[in-house]
Amino acid sequence: MFSIQKWKCSWSLFATIASVVALVSVVHLFLFPLVPTFDYFRQAQIPCVPINGSAEVATDHVREGPQPSIDLDRQFPADLHNAVVYRGAPWKAEIGRWLSGCDTTAKEVNISEIIGGSGCKNDCSGQGVCNRELGECRCFHGFGGEGCSERLQLNCNYPASLELPYGRWVVSICPAQCDTTRAMCFCGEGTKYPNRPLAEACGFQFKLSSEPDGPKLTDWTKPDEDVFTTNGSKIGWCNVDPAEAYANNVKFKEECDCKYDGLWGRFCEVPVLSTCINQCSGNGLCRGGFCQCNTGWYGVDCTVPSVISSIREWPQWLLPAQIDVPDSLHFGRKVVNLNAIVKKKRPLVYVYDLPPDFNSLLLEGRHFKFECVNRLYDENNATLWTEQLYGAQVAFFESILASPHRTLNGEEADFFFVPVLDSCIITRADDAPHLSMEDHRGLRSSLTLEYYKKAYDHIVEQYPFWNRSSGKDHIWFFSWDEGACYAPKEIWNSMMLVHWGNTNSKHNHSTTAYWADNWDSIDSSRRGNHPCFDPHKDLVLPAWKRPNVDSLSLKLWARPLEKRKTLFYFNGNLGPAYPHGRPESTYSMGIRQKLAEEFGSSPNKDGKLGRQHAEDVIVTPLRAENYHEALASSIFCGVFPGDGWSGRMEDSILQGCIPVVIQDGIFLPYENMFNYDSFAVRIREDEIPNLINFLRAFNQTEVEFKLANVQKIWQRFLYRDAIMLEAERQKTAYGRMADWAVQFSQLAEDDAFATFLQVLHYKLHNDPWRKNVHTNKDFGLPRECLTKSK
């Protein structure tokens, strides 16, 4: 190794660096592009880049020097609700004490980050991105093989038959031109606009419903030739000129619209940005949902530098760095990695760079652009936030990739995140025959289980980290309606991030009304016999809620008690007793229906109100004119299941309303970490008839106490970090700050992602299985905080 010490800037330093550059440049001439560029010895706006080939990393458990003793129990007593407040949130006492005394005192430690130097076969043939840690290609949609040289055939339709000339039904059958690299349908050659999408029922005829005023039914055996016509007197789509249509001069089929991502306008006439993870972080091009990284970069969002990247462009979580330059370089596809010493705070999370089947390809191939993402882009490439509750998975993924708690060194990692976008798998499953739903009897739950099992197989085969803890330090995100109920048995030791914390103590079977998502019939040889949620190891995260500028500017979350005139409020689907209600008796496990029977404030189909309806109690299926205003005008707000989890907890908290939770044995966001007695009310399902009497019994002091705590923690139910990452991207790309960016930039309290990191830090030193784990890691903590980890 070179043993180059750190100098102050001087002529002797420049002379020494010059000699090093001369030495490396000789090798550089023969090995480029597999060895570091000269940019390793330059740092933007920094006259001297610290380069240290003999940097020593501290290996002690504790900081050097004597530390004051911490008596956590005495220093951080619990309140009357047995909560200990840390950074404004009322935590369960033991957790709050540890965070107050330990998370707040954590120091940065030296971490050796690994900068990959491997190459890939044929440089992935220009049809993929090279993972330079493993030397594996991540191939674009429609390409495969070791070097991405194989062209795949991804059909839009199942095989045809006499009865079904376009194959059996999927959500979107193609009667025109199928792009077999993505299994997506377009108008195709011979039409005026061949690249205009022809999605879902657009290209097929309708048949009359058997019921009066019933919905149109698609005849999937008969293509609608009128979508291809140029006759202005008939319905057109593939040939209609946008200007003519906007001027109402021609007719077109109303059921046709611009469903695919990357296109905007009623007729898909405007190309716009597609949604990619972190929009490729400025180091690549977003192609439909897949990041095509610039040379020297890789990863799902192009944030991982290789040895041929420029240090000046490294992400902030890798800077400032001391570079460890090796004294020998190896020829061939595998080149020695570089080490960069970076100061970081624990916990540290290693994010697996999975093959794109588990994330990027699912984003790129989705048939409805709103599905499973938290944002889109309009004709000006301005950000449009979606109402997709499942968008939390993308928001969380982007935050963890950009976090200073991320590490590229699995040996230093405290946790390992496995990024499978199950929200995109399930929404895509019915669109694409190549996903082989027929192999799973039409069960999306079974298909998704298979995806997680394949991800498990991949990391076990390619990486050494799983077996060290039997996966206990691994993290998986299950975002769909019933969470991790259909997790494969092989990964159940891990930490599950979910929106549905069903312990199966009461509701011990699949509760969904959608048969395709039911997991009861999945064989135990695949699923095992685990519950949906284990509060000792798992965590419920908030759902995604669209950034609402009006709510922020009006500070609805801070509205005081005297301005909240409604005692209890719930607005949502109340089941089959009401017009347009969900017909299934199993919907909401019957909870919403019971509530409506007692307190319904709108007439049901029989014209009846609830048995105990009251003037200051609103339980209605009628959509509110201003839903957020209605919540902010109420003291208590209902939190019940939908078809699995719903976003009502987030609605309540974000508008400053005290949540009333009715769902036995099912945990809400952070409920196994926060002290819910401090800001929420829980009612058993069999106590629904006594709900209003119970709420009226709270005295004003207790109500104001709970309201005050809701106002303190509301930002923890918001993905502000992901929102601000997008704000910075827009500012960098276009020099603009939208209204939502300005409003959210003024918020400063801990958000959903910061809360998650605090939970990880606590678990790192308090999870029981870690007590017998011996490590020489530097944790940057006093001894008192480490006693439980020894």
Side-chain angles (χ1 to χ4, degrees), residues 238-387:
C238 290
N239 293 293
V240 63
D241 181 86
E244 289 290 300
Y246 287 136
N248 296 319
N249 294 332
V250 293
K251 296 180 180 179
F252 59 92
K253 191 172 184 177
E254 294 290 342
E255 287 77 14
C256 297
D257 59 17
C258 196
K259 288 184 168 64
Y260 294 170
D261 198 8
L263 298 168
W264 199 258
R266 182 65 180 81
F267 302 93
C268 311
E269 70 272 22
V270 183
V272 298
L273 290 175
S274 297
T275 303
C276 275
I277 301 299
N278 277 326
Q279 296 309 116
C280 310
S281 309
N283 297 319
L285 171 69
C286 178
R287 40 177 290 163
F290 193 119
C291 282
Q292 182 175 350
C293 301
N294 298 337
T295 300
W297 295 87
Y298 65 97
V300 68
D301 65 341
C302 304
T303 49
V304 185
S306 71
V307 297
I308 60 172
S309 65
S310 169
I311 192 173
R312 294 176 299 176
E313 299 171 353
W314 281 10
Q316 287 301 308
W317 51 272
L318 284 176
L319 294 175
Q322 296 176 344
I323 310 302
D324 181 7
V325 181
D327 59 1
S328 64
L329 297 167
H330 300 286
F331 293 86
R333 277 180 61 189
K334 182 71 175 179
V335 176
V336 68
N337 295 329
L338 291 180
N339 293 330
I341 308 302
V342 184
K343 287 190 174 297
K344 290 178 175 287
K345 282 188 178 181
R346 294 189 183 273
L348 296 178
V349 183
Y350 179 90
V351 182
Y352 286 105
D353 181 41
L354 295 181
D357 309 68
F358 301 102
N359 36 66
S360 298
L361 297 186
L362 295 166
L363 279 175
E364 183 176 358
R366 67 192 194 281
H367 280 217
F368 188 46
K369 55 190 169 189
F370 287 94
E371 288 176 341
C372 75
V373 296
N374 62 346
R375 67 182 183 279
L376 296 169
Y377 296 93
D378 67 11
E379 66 273 16
N380 298 312
N381 282 329
T383 309
L384 291 179
W385 298 107
T386 76
E387 300 279 0

Side-chain angles (χ1 to χ4, degrees), residues 525-567:
S525 64
R526 301 173 63 211
R527 180 186 175 272
N529 190 30
H530 60 74
C532 299
F533 179 79
D534 181 350
H536 296 101
K537 68 180 182 65
D538 302 332
L539 185 68
V540 182
L541 290 180
W544 169 260
K545 287 294 177 178
R546 181 176 64 85
N548 190 292
V549 174
D550 292 337
S551 294
L552 278 185
S553 58
L554 294 174
K555 294 186 177 181
L556 296 183
W557 53 271
R559 185 168 287 177
L561 176 60
E562 58 268 20
K563 292 187 177 181
R564 296 177 178 267
K565 304 301 182 183
T566 301
L567 175 68

